[in-house]
Amino acid sequence: MDEPILARPRFSPPAPTPMREPPDLFSFLRQARDNPLATWTRDHFEKPVVYGKGVLGRVMVLSEPRAIRHVLVENAENYRKDALTRRVLAPGLGQGLFTAEGEDWRTLRRTLAPMFSPRHVASFAEPMAVAARRLTRRLARREGRTVDVEIETTRLTLDVLERTIFTSGLERDPDALGRAITKLFAAIGPVDPLDVLGLPEWLPRLGRIQARPSIDFFARVVDELIGTRRALVESGAEVPRDLLTLLLEARDPETGEGLDDLDVRANIVTFIGAGHETTANALTWALYLVSQAPDVRARLEAEVDTVVGEGPVAAEHAGALPWTKAVIEETMRLYPPAAFMSREAIAEDRVAGIRLPAGAIVMIAPWVLHRHTLIWDDPAAFDPTRFFGEARGRIDRYAYLPFGAGPRVCIGAAFALQEAVLALAEIVRAVRLDLAPEAVVEPVQRVTLRPRNGMPMRVTRRAG
Ligand code: HEM
C-alpha cells in the first residue's frame, strides 16, 4: 500500500523543554520528584552518549542503537537492574519476574515464557474485545459529556487483566481491586529522594508506609483466588485456560519444577502492576494525539469502519488493523509508558568506546531515545506513517524501545499491543473523543508516563 501523505506542519504534542545545563543537586532532586522528564538536558537529545559523575554516581545515558544492543543483548550478562529500579518497584511488585535477578530470574523467565506464546496471546483476543466493548457501552452512555479518559482506559486494562488472569472474575466488587491498585501506585509513584540518594532500606519512606494497606489487600485477595483455583486444578475438574491456571501448571522446562503459591502471587501482582497502567497510558495518549491530528483521525476512522464495520470489534480483527497499530506505535514513541530503563555494570566494560567501571549506571531512556535528533526526522512531531508499511522496517530495532530489548524484554509486549489495538479500534468505532476545552495536557513521569491532570475528553457517539 502507498504510504499516506499527512498534512504539514505536523502536530507536536507537549513535552518539557530540555534544560541547557545539568541542574545542581537541590534542583535535580526537586525536579526528579515533581517530574523526572524535566531533568533531561539538550545534550541528552543531541548526543549519542552523555557520560559523567552526577547525583546518582557514574551515569552513562546511552542513545546510540549499536551500543544499546551491546548493553541489552550482547553483554546483557554483565548488567543487572540497578538498585534504584529495584528499590522503587520491589515494594509494589514483590519478587516477581520484573524485580528478580540472576539465577532466580533465569528460572522464572524460562518457566513463564510459554504463557505469553503467540498461541496464548491470540486466545486472549476474545476477552480483550469483550472488555473493550464494555468500555464503549459505558462511553456511549456519556454522550455529550466529558469523561476522564485516563480513568476509563485504566478500568479497561484492569478489566482485561481480570478476565485474562481470573476468567471467572474476582467474585467481589471489581472496583475494589482497581481502587487498591490505584492507591498503591499513587503512593509508590513519585520517586523518593531517599531512594535517589541511595539511603539505607531501613529508613522509612512515607510513600511506602502509605502503600502498605493496598499491598496487603492485594495479597489477601490474590491468595484466596490461588487457593481456590489450586484445589480445583488438583481435583481434576475442568478449569478455565487463563493466566492463573497457566501459572499453576507452569513448569521449568529444564527441571520440571513448578511455582509455589508465593511465586504465583508475586507474578500475578507483577502482571497487574507492569501491565495495567502502561497499557492504559498508551491508549490515553493515543486518543489524545488522534484528537489533535484530524488527518490521522480520518484515516483511523476509515480503517476501523472498513475492517470492523458495524462491529463490535472481535478477536479476528487483531491482525487486520495496520494503521491503528501504527498509531499505537507512534504514540509509544512520543509517550513511552516506561520512560527509562537503567542497568548497573557488574564488571568493567567498554561501551560506545568509553571505559565503563564496575558499578556505573547505564540509562537507556525511551523518552530521550525516541526524541533524539540524531535518530528521528522531526522527532517531536506526531506522524504514524513512520510505523506504517515499509517505513516500519527501516526503524532500527535499538532506536525504538517501548518494551525494552534483549533477555529482559517485556514478556507482555504482544499481549499489550494486541490489547491496545483492539481497544483503540473499538473506541474509534463507537465514539469520537475530543479534548475538553479547559484541559491542560502535560506529560509527567510517575512509575509510568502519564498525563499530570488526567485526560478530560468529550464523548460523541459514532455508532451503536
Ligand atoms: C504498553 C504496555 C507495556 C509497556 C510499555 C511495557 C514496557 C516494559 C519494559 C520497557 C520492560 C523492560 C524493563 C527493563 O528492561 O528494565 C518491561 C518488562 C516487563 N513487562 Fe512490560 N510493558 C507493557 C505491558 C506489559 C503487560 C501487559 C505485562 C503482563 C501481562 C507486562 C509484564 C512485564 C514483565 C513481567 C516484565 C519483566 C520481564 C523480565 O524482566 O523478564 N508488561 N515492560
Side-chain angles (χ1 to χ4, degrees):
M1 205 184 300
D2 284 341
E3 283 169 29
I5 310 285
L6 286 185
R8 301 286 190 277
R10 293 173 292 185
F11 163 63
S12 292
T17 308
M19 288 185 296
R20 279 169 183 280
E21 298 292 332
D24 58 45
L25 174 65
F26 179 73
S27 321
F28 176 85
L29 289 176
R30 196 166 38 83
Q31 293 273 30
R33 186 161 174 84
D34 178 59
N35 187 7
L37 298 181
T39 60
W40 300 107
T41 66
R42 254 196 227 166
D43 274 1
H44 292 119
F45 295 91
E46 292 171 3
K47 296 186 175 165
V49 185
V50 178
Y51 180 47
K53 201 161 167 14
V55 183
L56 303 171
R58 285 197 179 280
V59 176
M60 175 179 275
V61 178
L62 201 54
S63 303
E64 206 280 293
R66 186 69 202 77
I68 290 177
R69 179 183 162 144
H70 172 81
V71 170
L72 291 184
V73 184
E74 290 154 4
N75 202 17
E77 285 280 306
N78 188 46
Y79 294 89
R80 59 176 170 225
K81 292 202 173 177
D82 69 295
L84 178 62
T85 307
R86 290 199 307 271
R87 270 188 235 122
V88 171
L89 293 178
L93 299 185
Q95 279 308 311
L97 187 64
F98 204 101
T99 44
E101 280 295 342
E103 205 40 50
D104 287 348
W105 169 79
R106 254 187 297 282
T107 309
L108 251 183
R109 181 90 192 195
R110 263 196 322 257
T111 310
L112 301 185
M115 295 175 50
F116 292 91
S117 68
R119 182 170 62 89
H120 282 136
V121 171
S123 78
F124 296 137
E126 176 67 29
M128 286 170 180
V130 172
R133 176 69 182 131
R134 206 168 148 219
L135 166 67
T136 54
R137 279 214 200 89
R138 210 160 57 227
L139 290 176
R141 285 198 296 273
R142 312 288 297 278
E143 163 76 16
R145 306 230 291 272
T146 296
V147 296
D148 186 340
V149 166
E150 191 193 18
I151 293 177
E152 293 300 331
T153 55
T154 306
R155 283 173 85 176
L156 165 84
T157 55
L158 285 173
D159 193 9
V160 167
L161 284 162
E162 193 179 325
R163 283 166 196 273
T164 50
I165 298 175
F166 320 101
T167 305
S168 45
L170 293 174
E171 291 148 19
R172 61 175 69 215
D173 172 12
D175 283 342
L177 183 72
R179 279 196 300 272
I181 293 171
T182 309
K183 244 180 33 213
L184 175 73
F185 280 84
I188 65 167
V191 174
D192 197 306
L194 301 187
D195 284 334
V196 175
L197 294 172
L199 295 187
E201 285 297 298
W202 49 262
L203 264 179
R205 269 71 159 170
L206 184 62
R208 231 160 277 168
I209 295 168
Q210 287 165 340
R212 200 69 248 170
S214 313
I215 296 172
D216 293 344
F217 172 81
F218 235 70
R220 258 197 331 274
V221 176
V222 172
D223 283 349
E224 266 174 45
L225 289 159
I226 296 171
T228 317
R229 182 67 64 83
R230 206 184 270 287
L232 207 61
V233 171
E234 280 164 11
S235 76
E238 188 149 341
V239 284
R241 306 304 304 158
D242 54 18
L243 287 167
L244 177 54
T245 297
L246 294 175
L247 274 168
L248 293 173
E249 291 178 354
R251 294 285 174 273
D252 179 343
E254 287 181 15
T255 63
E257 285 272 317
L259 302 174
D260 65 20
D261 283 4
L262 264 181
D263 292 333
V264 172
R265 186 224 284 170
N267 285 293
I268 285 176
V269 171
T270 294
F271 296 160
I272 297 174
H276 88 286
E277 206 176 275
T278 43
T279 316
N281 292 347
L283 266 171
T284 299
W285 287 114
L287 289 162
Y288 160 68
L289 289 167
V290 164
S291 79
Q292 303 303 298
D295 45 352
V296 174
R297 169 142 85 185
R299 204 184 149 88
L300 186 59
E301 290 178 349
E303 177 175 273
V304 170
D305 292 350
T306 309
V307 176
V308 182
E310 294 288 295
V313 89
E316 73 260 23
H317 300 131
L321 294 156
W323 182 252
T324 312
K325 187 172 173 209
V327 169
I328 294 288
E329 294 204 278
E330 171 68 345
T331 299
M332 291 195 295
R333 183 185 69 83
L334 284 169
Y335 295 117
F340 79 81
M341 290 166 269
S342 45
R343 297 288 192 270
E344 183 181 322
I346 296 168
E348 182 183 312
D349 193 10
R350 236 185 138 67
V351 179
I354 299 169
R355 193 190 71 86
L356 194 72
I361 304 289
V362 179
M363 273 197 180
I364 298 166
W367 172 263
V368 172
L369 182 69
H370 295 177
R371 292 167 176 266
H372 207 282
T373 52
L374 295 178
I375 297 178
W376 304 91
D377 163 37
D378 200 359
F382 174 54
D383 180 2
T385 61
R386 302 177 205 267
F387 290 89
F388 192 78
E390 288 187 352
R392 177 69 180 91
R394 289 196 291 272
I395 297 172
D396 189 310
R397 171 68 187 92
Y398 300 94
Y400 178 65
L401 297 174
F403 296 110
R408 299 215 66 150
V409 68
C410 177
I411 203 168
F415 180 107
L417 209 50
Q418 174 176 284
E419 175 182 354
V421 167
L422 286 172
L424 181 59
E426 172 57 17
I427 295 168
V428 167
R429 181 196 68 80
V431 295
R432 183 175 274 189
L433 296 170
D434 288 295
L435 192 65
E438 71 280 7
V440 179
V441 177
E442 185 193 341
V444 62
Q445 184 184 343
R446 289 291 172 244
V447 173
T448 60
L449 194 147
R450 47 201 297 192
R452 191 193 286 274
N453 311 304
M455 192 63 79
M457 299 186 89
R458 218 179 119 88
V459 182
T460 311
R461 279 173 88 137
R462 292 190 69 234

